[in-house]
Amino acid sequence: MSQPSSTQGRQDVPLLDQTLGQAFDATVARWPEREALVVRHQGLRYRWRELAEQVESTARGLMALGVAPGERVGIWAPNCAQWCILQIATAKIGAILVTINPAYRSAELEYVLRQSGCSWLVCADAFKSSDYHAMLQTLLPELASHPLASERLPDLRGVISLATTPPAGFLPWTMLAERAGQIEVAALRARECALHDDQAVNIQYTSGTTGAPKGATLSHHNILNNGYMVGRSLGLSEHDRLVIPVPLYHCFGMVMGNLGCIVHGSTMIYPNDAFDPEHTLRTVAEERATLLYGVPTMFIAMLDHPLRDRLDLSSLRSGIMAGATCPIEVMRRVIEQMHMAQVQIAYGMTETSPVSLQTGPNDDLELRVTTVGRTQPQLETKLVGEQGEIVARGEIGELCTRGYSVMLGYWNDPEATERAIDADGWMHTGDLAVMDEQGYVRIVGRNKDMIIRGGENIYPRELEEFLHTHPAVAEAQVVGIPCERFGEQIVAWIKLHPGHSVTVEALSDWCKARIAHFKVPRHIRFVDEFPMTVTGKVQKFRMRELTIAQLEGH
């Protein structure tokens, strides 16, 4: 008789009992002169001692602004040195960092700021096609007046810009260092001493299965230990140099990247403000990096880049590929052509801080491309059937995880929290999986129809409700179809109101102006009817089949 699909990770690896600030201070004390952070596109390099000076100054500056423990401070910016500095500084003063997707447009930004009750927002001036200053000036016409009093965002007290000379109404980042002198070092130390590791330190917004994004609330204990465990599996040490081209607003960047390095004393290296294959390859070679992170699409872009053959990547030994399934040929090329013999696969979700399963450095190639590894230390995994029963090994069930990494809950949304985490503390991921006799888990599908495009999680329901706000749209259905480059692409089937018309181009442009680029449907089909079951349910699998057939010219 097959054993049940239930495993427990190693219990002999003790969890850390620290706040982020305590872990950071311990590393600074141990290796003050070692390189801590390299930000290539800003031309910045900090040793741990120098990074600590920036963090302390920022923390005291925030206290001078009146930021109290438990208050939310938002960061809306691409990868940069200030992102990392703010992450640690807010943790030191007991504030909760709200990480905002740099691709968000004004409607998404407004929702997140209002739902989280942010008191301060730190923003870049612009990123790619987004003019952050202009969007905020439209959203907050009162911004130029002090103190800020906005009807739309009543909790927001001000906006701090990373621009050298921000427009009227925006406070400059340098202001934090200028105000730091108003707060005694002893006051900061007293604030830090009053914190404990099970307090919330981060809110990350995930696309909602029922429309609006939900704020996964994570504690010091959640994310510091996850960064520690991921880094431990990789064998991270003070001698390692990790290139982080993945976005910091995701757990991949800020937890597995920043916190993994902070707790193990490794060097954090940001090659650019966003992923660029040439910048990343040059950074690996010129910085003599030992590890590299990325989603499969990033590795594919680097492997296929003409510069790769001309650069010396021999310093690499390992890294992590996550966010989507990795084709075996890609994994083989990463190992052979990028020297990443010990590259690992990690699986998780924002709500679990994020990693709950991970392959090991010595797992064979087949396990690294067909599974997402085994249960991490101090965590539990089980696969359950429709009635909640644990299924046998080899059978399909919903993946559930329990332990230190499970979030505190969704911010100000107890009902959604109760739906996601059961009474026994199990986080229900919505992913369907199979567990083998050795405890390795293979993801076989998703029971929530989530689309993963280039490492970004997109829930169709959220997009469908957004499309309904267009005056010509009567009904919308969204599905994902396979895409070689991004893993999946978004397809929207649209029924229009009688007497209304809109072109594909016009609807696409309307979306681009209002939502993040990765959520904009790649294909839009105007239809009179959707494929339905006899009971009136939309057949999304049939929509996928019909779309693929149409695109292939069948």
Side-chain angles (χ1 to χ4, degrees):
M1 182 178 174
S2 178
Q3 58 183 318
S5 295
S6 176
T7 59
Q8 188 177 62
R10 290 177 57 180
Q11 300 297 297
D12 60 342
V13 183
L15 292 168
L16 303 177
D17 187 18
Q18 295 174 302
T19 63
L20 266 63
Q22 290 168 341
F24 177 75
D25 290 347
T27 294
V28 172
R30 192 171 180 187
W31 298 293
E33 300 306 319
R34 293 195 73 91
E35 203 161 51
L37 176 64
V38 177
V39 187
R40 298 265 297 192
H41 60 287
Q42 292 178 293
L44 294 173
R45 291 177 182 273
Y46 298 104
R47 297 173 184 178
W48 287 108
R49 171 180 52 78
E50 295 166 332
L51 183 59
E53 291 170 0
Q54 295 290 321
V55 167
E56 299 260 318
S57 173
T58 302
R60 290 161 64 199
L62 290 168
M63 289 177 67
L65 287 179
V67 178
E71 279 194 36
R72 277 75 64 206
V73 176
I75 173 75
W76 188 33
N79 292 10
C80 60
Q82 295 94 331
W83 211 111
C84 179
I85 292 164
L86 188 69
Q87 180 185 4
I88 309 166
T90 48
K92 274 179 163 280
I93 66 169
I96 301 172
L97 185 68
V98 180
T99 56
I100 303 170
N101 191 326
Y104 271 7
R105 298 287 179 153
S106 54
E108 298 154 315
L109 174 70
E110 179 182 2
Y111 175 84
V112 165
L113 292 176
R114 187 173 61 248
Q115 204 277 337
S116 65
C118 269
S119 60
W120 289 89
L121 173 67
V122 177
C123 74
D125 55 351
F127 177 61
K128 295 186 176 178
S129 62
S130 297
D131 184 336
Y132 291 176
H133 286 164
M135 277 192 267
L136 282 162
Q137 285 168 328
T138 302
L139 183 62
L140 298 164
E142 316 91 342
L143 196 56
S145 61
H146 289 287
L148 175 62
S150 167
E151 288 187 14
R152 298 173 77 169
L153 297 170
D155 297 306
L156 193 66
R157 301 206 298 272
V159 180
I160 300 166
S161 173
L162 301 181
T164 306
T165 53
F170 293 83
L171 299 173
W173 171 262
T174 52
M175 170 274 306
L176 291 174
E178 293 166 2
R179 296 201 182 192
Q182 300 173 18
I183 301 295
E184 296 290 337
V185 173
L188 173 59
R189 295 289 173 265
R191 177 79 68 91
E192 291 185 80
C193 288
L195 303 178
H196 47 89
D197 66 346
D198 60 356
Q199 288 176 313
V201 73
N202 178 220
I203 298 174
Q204 297 197 34
Y205 279 83
T206 63
S207 292
T209 56
T210 56
K214 300 190 290 293
T217 307
L218 305 170
S219 69
H220 295 259
H221 191 70
N222 287 152
I223 59 177
L224 185 66
N225 276 293
N226 206 255
Y228 167 64
M229 292 296 185
V230 169
R232 187 181 179 279
S233 180
L234 291 169
L236 279 183
S237 77
E238 72 274 16
H239 303 293
D240 279 306
R241 299 171 65 78
L242 170 62
V243 171
I244 307 172
V246 294
L248 295 176
Y249 76 90
H250 267 177
C251 275
F252 200 170
M254 69 165 290
V255 177
M256 299 158 70
N258 286 358
L259 297 186
C261 286
I262 286 170
V263 77
H264 292 285
S266 310
T267 305
M268 303 168 274
I269 305 174
Y270 307 158
N272 200 17
D273 58 356
F275 174 69
D276 176 271
E278 180 172 336
H279 280 109
T280 304
L281 287 166
R282 286 190 184 278
T283 298
V284 168
E286 294 169 12
E287 296 292 339
R288 305 306 295 157
T290 55
L291 296 100
L292 172 62
Y293 282 0
V295 299
T297 52
M298 291 179 178
F299 282 102
I300 292 168
M302 288 185 282
L303 287 165
D304 294 340
H305 197 280
L307 188 66
R308 181 185 55 78
D309 281 338
R310 303 199 296 273
L311 292 173
D312 180 6
L313 308 179
S314 62
S315 60
L316 285 174
R317 65 170 180 84
S318 188
I320 286 182
M321 201 181 303
T325 304
C326 177
I328 190 165
E329 189 54 39
V330 173
M331 178 66 83
R332 186 176 285 116
R333 290 179 66 196
V334 166
I335 291 170
E336 294 174 358
Q337 298 172 16
M338 296 183 71
H339 306 279
M340 295 173 64
Q342 298 177 346
V343 64
Q344 299 180 27
I345 298 293
Y347 164 87
M349 59 194 304
T350 304
E351 291 89 338
T352 56
S353 302
V355 177
S356 49
L357 297 122
Q358 191 171 348
T359 60
N362 300 314
D363 285 340
D364 64 34
L365 181 62
E366 184 180 356
L367 286 171
R368 282 188 274 180
V369 295
T370 60
T371 80
V372 292
R374 291 187 282 191
T375 306
Q376 261 205 350
Q378 300 291 347
L379 294 177
E380 298 174 82
T381 300
K382 68 176 181 178
L383 306 185
V384 300
E386 292 186 5
Q387 305 304 315
E389 76 287 4
I390 299 175
V391 302
R393 300 278 174 114
E395 294 183 4
I396 295 175
E398 182 187 10
L399 194 157
C400 302
T401 187
R402 182 169 69 175
Y404 77 84
S405 70
V406 175
M407 65 175 179
L408 298 177
Y410 291 117
W411 185 260
N412 279 344
D413 198 340
E415 291 180 3
T417 303
E418 192 174 333
R419 288 193 299 270
I421 305 171
D422 67 26
D424 294 320
W426 289 98
M427 177 74 206
H428 290 250
T429 68
D431 284 337
L432 302 176
V434 174
M435 183 181 291
D436 71 12
E437 295 300 329
Q438 286 71 47
Y440 287 89
V441 172
R442 178 168 54 93
I443 305 298
V444 296
R446 295 182 297 279
N447 67 359
K448 295 178 182 175
D449 278 327
M450 185 177 72
I451 299 166
I452 300 181
R453 179 194 179 278
E456 298 281 2
N457 293 351
I458 301 154
Y459 288 90
R461 179 69 181 272
E462 179 189 4
L463 262 184
E464 289 161 0
E465 294 190 3
F466 167 75
L467 288 165
H468 284 161
T469 65
H470 189 283
V473 174
E475 194 172 351
Q477 294 290 337
V478 171
V479 296
I481 61 170
C483 167
E484 187 170 333
R485 182 180 178 193
F486 292 105
E488 287 183 290
Q489 284 285 15
I490 303 168
V491 179
W493 284 40
I494 305 290
K495 286 172 67 174
L496 298 177
H497 287 295
H500 287 69
S501 65
V502 64
T503 65
V504 169
E505 293 75 19
L507 186 55
S508 182
D509 289 344
W510 182 83
C511 291
K512 289 174 184 175
R514 290 165 174 81
I515 57 174
H517 66 89
F518 62 83
K519 296 181 186 176
V520 176
R522 177 70 176 82
H523 304 284
I524 295 174
R525 292 188 65 186
F526 295 115
V527 297
D528 295 323
E529 300 291 342
F530 301 116
M532 309 281 277
T533 66
V534 291
T535 57
K537 292 183 179 179
V538 175
Q539 295 178 307
K540 289 202 169 185
F541 75 93
R542 184 66 183 141
M543 290 170 55
R544 293 188 191 96
E545 292 172 352
L546 292 169
T547 302
I548 292 167
Q550 182 189 43
L551 292 172
E552 292 176 348
H554 297 164

